[in-house]
Amino acid sequence: MRRRMISFRWFRALYTLGLEFWLALPLLGCAFWFATSVLTDHVLSRPYGTTTQLEADTQLEVHLSVTVVVIQAEVDRQQGFTKVEVMTKDSVLKKLDFIFPVTDFDQLEATIAQELGLSRENVRRLVRYQVR
């Protein structure tokens, strides 16, 4: 009987201090940790399909706004191409190099104008030819 009284007093002391709430917290914490670890493992192990694929073989088209100072065209009629150097006034990009498979001056000026986004008159004014 004495044992029952001690255990009853023990529960009564726990009840008055509110310890029955604090003793249940570790159990609730372990249950929460277990449930979230199972859920996380399930979500992270699931395969995801991609709707868009990476295209590595495509070339990017870049449009730059540069101030062209002079265009030097070296025409090689025997080989059938023209090497073009474009000198710019910008601090980042000083020189552009192109090789075009044309040797006719009108076609070359049209190609350079299209590539640089300039008018044919501006290209004609800036270009310097060297024929081999």
Side-chain angles (χ1 to χ4, degrees):
M1 178 92 165
R2 182 147 174 97
R3 243 180 210 207
R4 277 187 156 177
M5 288 294 259
I6 293 174
S7 65
F8 181 69
R9 286 183 190 170
W10 178 252
F11 284 122
R12 189 177 232 189
L14 288 176
Y15 185 74
T16 57
L17 292 174
L19 290 181
E20 75 278 350
F21 171 75
W22 296 109
L23 290 175
L25 278 181
L27 291 174
L28 288 174
C30 288
F32 181 76
W33 173 77
F34 179 74
T36 56
S37 67
V38 168
L39 182 65
T40 303
D41 185 45
H42 176 70
V43 169
L44 293 179
S45 66
R46 193 173 135 206
Y48 289 98
T50 57
T51 56
T52 58
Q53 296 176 352
L54 178 64
E55 295 180 22
D57 294 339
T58 59
Q59 292 184 355
L60 296 176
E61 190 171 320
V62 178
H63 297 283
L64 296 173
S65 176
V66 294
T67 305
V68 178
V69 177
V70 67
I71 302 171
Q72 296 176 348
E74 186 178 316
V75 180
D76 191 346
R77 293 197 185 218
Q78 290 178 348
Q79 299 291 328
F81 68 89
T82 303
K83 182 180 175 186
V84 177
E85 290 182 357
V86 179
M87 305 301 219
T88 65
K89 192 169 129 178
D90 296 333
S91 63
V92 177
L93 190 61
K94 294 285 187 186
K95 184 173 101 169
L96 299 168
D97 291 325
F98 299 100
I99 295 178
F100 298 115
V102 294
T103 57
D104 182 48
F105 293 147
D106 289 332
Q107 280 184 325
L108 184 60
E109 288 172 359
T111 306
I112 293 171
Q114 181 182 2
E115 192 70 34
L116 296 177
L118 299 172
S119 67
R120 287 185 75 173
E121 292 78 26
N122 285 341
V123 171
R124 201 171 280 136
R125 185 172 45 87
L126 294 170
V127 71
R128 307 291 182 256
Y129 292 104
Q130 180 180 1
V131 181
R132 283 198 209 174

